[in-house]
Each structure stands twice: as structure tokens, then as C-alpha cells.
Amino acid sequence: MDAAPRHADRAIHEEDFLETDPEFAEYSTRFAFDEVPAHGSLDPHLTWLVRLAALVACQTHRQYSLTLTAALDDGVSPVEAKELLYQAVAYLGMAKVVEFLQLTNAELLRRGVQLPLPPQSTTTLQTRFEKGWDAQFAIIGERLRSLHDDAPADEVHLQRWLTENCFGDHYTRGGIDLQTRELLTFVLLVAQGGCDPQVASHVAGNVRLGNGRAVLIDTLSQLVPWIGYPRMLNGLRAVDEIAPAQAP
């Protein structure tokens, strides 16, 4: 992959610390904006979405705003930016996402984008369970049946919500395809930390949808400057367990 272009988020990072912390400005800029983006074969467009998802999960509002501006300038669509946030609600909770939605709306309005954007929902109250089941089944397979059939009586509603809301309301939307949504879910879980069982489950889901070991390793590599090494290593452990490297 060629070295990343010099976007405004890079320039502002350099300017922030050039006078007070010049050494930090030099090596952190080089690593985050040159060395890491130049590694691997992850599509540059997808890399923007991965980075934005990680910044939301890490709750870094200013860096998110800077990165969003650069991502929109480089071709990420308003629909993609908004759909990423809608997807994040299911994995971070609404309280952690709404401020990012407000920041995104402000940036889109500044650019003259008319809001609301065209609807992306593909379900109704009558179809959200069925379509959610299809999406969830594509990710976790036959285990879905036992999750519903074997759920204790006081947990049945939670399994229903997972199918109807997490998958039916979110994964079935337009703007971002199912395979990309599942990769972004992996990023959201790794970046927020403390979700190791769910990370492992969604490593398996990504592999099932075609995001194999190489894609997951490249994705984790892009996360390092933004989430740090411990959370990256937790994600790497799940990848090594579920999709181990092939012997030479």
C-alpha cells in the first residue's frame, strides 16, 4: 500500500505538539500517518471506516472530528459515516454514540449536506425478527437456534432483542454491506476493550463472511496508533485462536 496522503488530521496533530513536544510530534506522526497506513493491503476507503469506528469506541471526540473531516474529503460518504455510528449503538450503547452523531451532523451541515439523509432501513416491525435472524444466522450459524431454544424463560426477551434490534434494526440497513458491518463490529469490540468473548465470536463471524485472518490482522495493524498495544494484542489473541496462521 502506498504511503497515505497528507490530510488535515495529520497536519493538526503535528501543529498541536511541534513547539511543546517536538520529538513526540515527529515519531508519533511518522508512525500513525506514514508507517501504519503503508502496511498491509486493507482498502484505503475501508481503513477510514475502521479508524473512525475505533475512535468512537475510544470516545475520542476531537480526533474523531479531525478524522471524519479527512475521511469525507477522501471519499467516505455521508451515508457511510452515519451508518457506522448507527452500527456502533448496538455495541457501545446509545449514551456513548449520540455525541458523535451530533458532531457528524454538524460537519455534514457545514458541508451543505441535506439532513436527514435518505432512509436506509430495510425492515418493519413485522419483518425485523425474520430479517434479523437471517443476518445473525449468516454470522453465527446453527448456534443461533440453541441460543433461542435453550434460553431460560427470564432471558428469552434478551435473545429476541438481539435478533430483532441488534441484527434486525442494524445489520440489515443499507449504506454499508453485511461483511463490512461485521468487520466494524470487530473493531468496535476490540477498541473499547473488556469484550474478549464477544471479540472471539465476531472473529468467527468475520471469517464466516469472508474477512479472513489476513483482513483481521491488517485491521488490527491499522488500530495500533489509536487504541494502543494491549487492546490490539487482545484482539490478536482471538484471531490466533479462531483463525490460526497456516503452517509453512
PDB file of all heavy atoms in Angstrom, residues 48-69:
ATOM      1  N   TRP A  48     -10.398   4.108   6.491  1.00  0.00           N
ATOM      2  CA  TRP A  48     -11.035   5.267   7.121  1.00  0.00           C
ATOM      3  C   TRP A  48     -12.173   4.823   8.048  1.00  0.00           C
ATOM      4  O   TRP A  48     -12.292   5.314   9.170  1.00  0.00           O
ATOM      5  CB  TRP A  48     -11.595   6.213   6.062  1.00  0.00           C
ATOM      6  CG  TRP A  48     -10.595   7.091   5.379  1.00  0.00           C
ATOM      7  CD1 TRP A  48     -10.299   7.121   4.051  1.00  0.00           C
ATOM      8  CD2 TRP A  48      -9.748   8.078   5.987  1.00  0.00           C
ATOM      9  NE1 TRP A  48      -9.335   8.061   3.791  1.00  0.00           N
ATOM     10  CE2 TRP A  48      -8.980   8.673   4.960  1.00  0.00           C
ATOM     11  CE3 TRP A  48      -9.579   8.519   7.297  1.00  0.00           C
ATOM     12  CZ2 TRP A  48      -8.053   9.682   5.203  1.00  0.00           C
ATOM     13  CZ3 TRP A  48      -8.650   9.538   7.544  1.00  0.00           C
ATOM     14  CH2 TRP A  48      -7.906  10.100   6.508  1.00  0.00           C
ATOM     15  N   LEU A  49     -13.004   3.897   7.585  1.00  0.00           N
ATOM     16  CA  LEU A  49     -14.125   3.434   8.401  1.00  0.00           C
ATOM     17  C   LEU A  49     -13.629   2.723   9.652  1.00  0.00           C
ATOM     18  O   LEU A  49     -14.168   2.912  10.753  1.00  0.00           O
ATOM     19  CB  LEU A  49     -15.026   2.502   7.580  1.00  0.00           C
ATOM     20  CG  LEU A  49     -15.694   3.116   6.348  1.00  0.00           C
ATOM     21  CD1 LEU A  49     -16.525   2.058   5.622  1.00  0.00           C
ATOM     22  CD2 LEU A  49     -16.566   4.300   6.733  1.00  0.00           C
ATOM     23  N   VAL A  50     -12.600   1.918   9.500  1.00  0.00           N
ATOM     24  CA  VAL A  50     -12.008   1.212  10.641  1.00  0.00           C
ATOM     25  C   VAL A  50     -11.487   2.208  11.670  1.00  0.00           C
ATOM     26  O   VAL A  50     -11.715   2.067  12.879  1.00  0.00           O
ATOM     27  CB  VAL A  50     -10.889   0.274  10.139  1.00  0.00           C
ATOM     28  CG1 VAL A  50      -9.979  -0.160  11.276  1.00  0.00           C
ATOM     29  CG2 VAL A  50     -11.485  -0.933   9.427  1.00  0.00           C
ATOM     30  N   ARG A  51     -10.782   3.220  11.188  1.00  0.00           N
ATOM     31  CA  ARG A  51     -10.227   4.205  12.113  1.00  0.00           C
ATOM     32  C   ARG A  51     -11.332   4.986  12.823  1.00  0.00           C
ATOM     33  O   ARG A  51     -11.268   5.217  14.044  1.00  0.00           O
ATOM     34  CB  ARG A  51      -9.304   5.173  11.364  1.00  0.00           C
ATOM     35  CG  ARG A  51      -8.532   6.108  12.291  1.00  0.00           C
ATOM     36  CD  ARG A  51      -7.786   7.191  11.526  1.00  0.00           C
ATOM     37  NE  ARG A  51      -6.804   6.636  10.612  1.00  0.00           N
ATOM     38  CZ  ARG A  51      -6.011   7.399   9.848  1.00  0.00           C
ATOM     39  NH1 ARG A  51      -6.136   8.718   9.874  1.00  0.00           N
ATOM     40  NH2 ARG A  51      -5.131   6.833   9.039  1.00  0.00           N
ATOM     41  N   LEU A  52     -12.351   5.391  12.086  1.00  0.00           N
ATOM     42  CA  LEU A  52     -13.466   6.128  12.701  1.00  0.00           C
ATOM     43  C   LEU A  52     -14.158   5.270  13.757  1.00  0.00           C
ATOM     44  O   LEU A  52     -14.493   5.765  14.839  1.00  0.00           O
ATOM     45  CB  LEU A  52     -14.466   6.559  11.628  1.00  0.00           C
ATOM     46  CG  LEU A  52     -14.026   7.696  10.717  1.00  0.00           C
ATOM     47  CD1 LEU A  52     -14.978   7.828   9.528  1.00  0.00           C
ATOM     48  CD2 LEU A  52     -13.954   9.019  11.483  1.00  0.00           C
ATOM     49  N   ALA A  53     -14.387   4.007  13.463  1.00  0.00           N
ATOM     50  CA  ALA A  53     -15.030   3.118  14.432  1.00  0.00           C
ATOM     51  C   ALA A  53     -14.205   3.005  15.705  1.00  0.00           C
ATOM     52  O   ALA A  53     -14.736   3.038  16.823  1.00  0.00           O
ATOM     53  CB  ALA A  53     -15.254   1.741  13.817  1.00  0.00           C
ATOM     54  N   ALA A  54     -12.894   2.891  15.553  1.00  0.00           N
ATOM     55  CA  ALA A  54     -12.021   2.792  16.721  1.00  0.00           C
ATOM     56  C   ALA A  54     -12.065   4.060  17.561  1.00  0.00           C
ATOM     57  O   ALA A  54     -12.088   4.003  18.798  1.00  0.00           O
ATOM     58  CB  ALA A  54     -10.586   2.501  16.278  1.00  0.00           C
ATOM     59  N   LEU A  55     -12.092   5.209  16.918  1.00  0.00           N
ATOM     60  CA  LEU A  55     -12.114   6.476  17.653  1.00  0.00           C
ATOM     61  C   LEU A  55     -13.430   6.665  18.404  1.00  0.00           C
ATOM     62  O   LEU A  55     -13.447   7.203  19.513  1.00  0.00           O
ATOM     63  CB  LEU A  55     -11.875   7.634  16.694  1.00  0.00           C
ATOM     64  CG  LEU A  55     -10.486   7.660  16.041  1.00  0.00           C
ATOM     65  CD1 LEU A  55     -10.410   8.728  14.972  1.00  0.00           C
ATOM     66  CD2 LEU A  55      -9.391   7.853  17.089  1.00  0.00           C
ATOM     67  N   VAL A  56     -14.532   6.207  17.816  1.00  0.00           N
ATOM     68  CA  VAL A  56     -15.805   6.251  18.537  1.00  0.00           C
ATOM     69  C   VAL A  56     -15.740   5.345  19.759  1.00  0.00           C
ATOM     70  O   VAL A  56     -16.138   5.731  20.860  1.00  0.00           O
ATOM     71  CB  VAL A  56     -16.968   5.833  17.621  1.00  0.00           C
ATOM     72  CG1 VAL A  56     -18.273   5.755  18.405  1.00  0.00           C
ATOM     73  CG2 VAL A  56     -17.122   6.816  16.471  1.00  0.00           C
ATOM     74  N   ALA A  57     -15.238   4.139  19.574  1.00  0.00           N
ATOM     75  CA  ALA A  57     -15.155   3.198  20.691  1.00  0.00           C
ATOM     76  C   ALA A  57     -14.254   3.718  21.805  1.00  0.00           C
ATOM     77  O   ALA A  57     -14.510   3.474  22.984  1.00  0.00           O
ATOM     78  CB  ALA A  57     -14.647   1.842  20.203  1.00  0.00           C
ATOM     79  N   CYS A  58     -13.209   4.452  21.428  1.00  0.00           N
ATOM     80  CA  CYS A  58     -12.286   5.024  22.420  1.00  0.00           C
ATOM     81  C   CYS A  58     -12.783   6.348  22.982  1.00  0.00           C
ATOM     82  O   CYS A  58     -12.135   6.927  23.856  1.00  0.00           O
ATOM     83  CB  CYS A  58     -10.907   5.215  21.798  1.00  0.00           C
ATOM     84  SG  CYS A  58     -10.045   3.674  21.420  1.00  0.00           S
ATOM     85  N   GLN A  59     -13.892   6.854  22.461  1.00  0.00           N
ATOM     86  CA  GLN A  59     -14.509   8.083  22.952  1.00  0.00           C
ATOM     87  C   GLN A  59     -13.595   9.301  22.806  1.00  0.00           C
ATOM     88  O   GLN A  59     -13.508  10.155  23.687  1.00  0.00           O
ATOM     89  CB  GLN A  59     -14.946   7.912  24.411  1.00  0.00           C
ATOM     90  CG  GLN A  59     -16.011   6.845  24.625  1.00  0.00           C
ATOM     91  CD  GLN A  59     -17.369   7.283  24.092  1.00  0.00           C
ATOM     92  OE1 GLN A  59     -18.083   8.047  24.747  1.00  0.00           O
ATOM     93  NE2 GLN A  59     -17.733   6.808  22.904  1.00  0.00           N
ATOM     94  N   THR A  60     -12.934   9.389  21.663  1.00  0.00           N
ATOM     95  CA  THR A  60     -12.007  10.496  21.405  1.00  0.00           C
ATOM     96  C   THR A  60     -12.671  11.482  20.446  1.00  0.00           C
ATOM     97  O   THR A  60     -12.512  11.393  19.231  1.00  0.00           O
ATOM     98  CB  THR A  60     -10.693   9.968  20.812  1.00  0.00           C
ATOM     99  OG1 THR A  60     -10.994   9.136  19.682  1.00  0.00           O
ATOM    100  CG2 THR A  60      -9.941   9.151  21.825  1.00  0.00           C
ATOM    101  N   HIS A  61     -13.392  12.437  20.996  1.00  0.00           N
ATOM    102  CA  HIS A  61     -14.237  13.309  20.200  1.00  0.00           C
ATOM    103  C   HIS A  61     -13.441  14.200  19.234  1.00  0.00           C
ATOM    104  O   HIS A  61     -13.806  14.326  18.060  1.00  0.00           O
ATOM    105  CB  HIS A  61     -15.107  14.176  21.116  1.00  0.00           C
ATOM    106  CG  HIS A  61     -16.103  13.400  21.914  1.00  0.00           C
ATOM    107  ND1 HIS A  61     -15.763  12.714  23.064  1.00  0.00           N
ATOM    108  CD2 HIS A  61     -17.431  13.172  21.719  1.00  0.00           C
ATOM    109  CE1 HIS A  61     -16.836  12.117  23.547  1.00  0.00           C
ATOM    110  NE2 HIS A  61     -17.857  12.378  22.754  1.00  0.00           N
ATOM    111  N   ARG A  62     -12.392  14.837  19.720  1.00  0.00           N
ATOM    112  CA  ARG A  62     -11.657  15.759  18.841  1.00  0.00           C
ATOM    113  C   ARG A  62     -10.971  15.004  17.709  1.00  0.00           C
ATOM    114  O   ARG A  62     -11.044  15.421  16.543  1.00  0.00           O
ATOM    115  CB  ARG A  62     -10.626  16.554  19.639  1.00  0.00           C
ATOM    116  CG  ARG A  62      -9.873  17.585  18.782  1.00  0.00           C
ATOM    117  CD  ARG A  62      -9.029  18.504  19.643  1.00  0.00           C
ATOM    118  NE  ARG A  62      -8.383  19.539  18.838  1.00  0.00           N
ATOM    119  CZ  ARG A  62      -7.154  19.434  18.343  1.00  0.00           C
ATOM    120  NH1 ARG A  62      -6.438  18.344  18.579  1.00  0.00           N
ATOM    121  NH2 ARG A  62      -6.631  20.424  17.632  1.00  0.00           N
ATOM    122  N   GLN A  63     -10.302  13.905  18.048  1.00  0.00           N
ATOM    123  CA  GLN A  63      -9.629  13.148  16.993  1.00  0.00           C
ATOM    124  C   GLN A  63     -10.638  12.571  16.006  1.00  0.00           C
ATOM    125  O   GLN A  63     -10.373  12.517  14.801  1.00  0.00           O
ATOM    126  CB  GLN A  63      -8.786  12.022  17.599  1.00  0.00           C
ATOM    127  CG  GLN A  63      -7.911  11.286  16.595  1.00  0.00           C
ATOM    128  CD  GLN A  63      -6.874  12.195  15.954  1.00  0.00           C
ATOM    129  OE1 GLN A  63      -6.102  12.861  16.639  1.00  0.00           O
ATOM    130  NE2 GLN A  63      -6.857  12.240  14.626  1.00  0.00           N
ATOM    131  N   TYR A  64     -11.798  12.180  16.506  1.00  0.00           N
ATOM    132  CA  TYR A  64     -12.853  11.711  15.598  1.00  0.00           C
ATOM    133  C   TYR A  64     -13.245  12.812  14.614  1.00  0.00           C
ATOM    134  O   TYR A  64     -13.370  12.563  13.414  1.00  0.00           O
ATOM    135  CB  TYR A  64     -14.079  11.256  16.390  1.00  0.00           C
ATOM    136  CG  TYR A  64     -15.284  10.973  15.512  1.00  0.00           C
ATOM    137  CD1 TYR A  64     -15.431   9.741  14.888  1.00  0.00           C
ATOM    138  CD2 TYR A  64     -16.246  11.960  15.280  1.00  0.00           C
ATOM    139  CE1 TYR A  64     -16.514   9.491  14.052  1.00  0.00           C
ATOM    140  CE2 TYR A  64     -17.330  11.719  14.445  1.00  0.00           C
ATOM    141  CZ  TYR A  64     -17.469  10.485  13.840  1.00  0.00           C
ATOM    142  OH  TYR A  64     -18.538  10.252  13.007  1.00  0.00           O
ATOM    143  N   SER A  65     -13.444  14.017  15.117  1.00  0.00           N
ATOM    144  CA  SER A  65     -13.854  15.123  14.245  1.00  0.00           C
ATOM    145  C   SER A  65     -12.803  15.402  13.177  1.00  0.00           C
ATOM    146  O   SER A  65     -13.130  15.623  12.004  1.00  0.00           O
ATOM    147  CB  SER A  65     -14.111  16.382  15.080  1.00  0.00           C
ATOM    148  OG  SER A  65     -15.238  16.216  15.914  1.00  0.00           O
ATOM    149  N   LEU A  66     -11.527  15.407  13.574  1.00  0.00           N
ATOM    150  CA  LEU A  66     -10.458  15.635  12.610  1.00  0.00           C
ATOM    151  C   LEU A  66     -10.419  14.527  11.563  1.00  0.00           C
ATOM    152  O   LEU A  66     -10.263  14.783  10.360  1.00  0.00           O
ATOM    153  CB  LEU A  66      -9.107  15.702  13.332  1.00  0.00           C
ATOM    154  CG  LEU A  66      -8.896  16.868  14.294  1.00  0.00           C
ATOM    155  CD1 LEU A  66      -7.582  16.705  15.045  1.00  0.00           C
ATOM    156  CD2 LEU A  66      -8.939  18.196  13.560  1.00  0.00           C
ATOM    157  N   THR A  67     -10.563  13.302  12.013  1.00  0.00           N
ATOM    158  CA  THR A  67     -10.504  12.157  11.099  1.00  0.00           C
ATOM    159  C   THR A  67     -11.729  12.120  10.201  1.00  0.00           C
ATOM    160  O   THR A  67     -11.634  11.793   9.011  1.00  0.00           O
ATOM    161  CB  THR A  67     -10.371  10.853  11.899  1.00  0.00           C
ATOM    162  OG1 THR A  67      -9.204  10.925  12.727  1.00  0.00           O
ATOM    163  CG2 THR A  67     -10.246   9.645  10.978  1.00  0.00           C
ATOM    164  N   LEU A  68     -12.891  12.454  10.747  1.00  0.00           N
ATOM    165  CA  LEU A  68     -14.101  12.498   9.927  1.00  0.00           C
ATOM    166  C   LEU A  68     -13.943  13.488   8.784  1.00  0.00           C
ATOM    167  O   LEU A  68     -14.306  13.188   7.629  1.00  0.00           O
ATOM    168  CB  LEU A  68     -15.308  12.876  10.788  1.00  0.00           C
ATOM    169  CG  LEU A  68     -16.625  13.065  10.021  1.00  0.00           C
ATOM    170  CD1 LEU A  68     -17.097  11.751   9.423  1.00  0.00           C
ATOM    171  CD2 LEU A  68     -17.693  13.670  10.938  1.00  0.00           C
ATOM    172  N   THR A  69     -13.409  14.667   9.074  1.00  0.00           N
ATOM    173  CA  THR A  69     -13.197  15.663   8.029  1.00  0.00           C
ATOM    174  C   THR A  69     -12.303  15.109   6.928  1.00  0.00           C
ATOM    175  O   THR A  69     -12.608  15.233   5.734  1.00  0.00           O
ATOM    176  CB  THR A  69     -12.575  16.934   8.631  1.00  0.00           C
ATOM    177  OG1 THR A  69     -13.480  17.489   9.587  1.00  0.00           O
ATOM    178  CG2 THR A  69     -12.280  17.963   7.555  1.00  0.00           C
TER     179      THR A  69
END
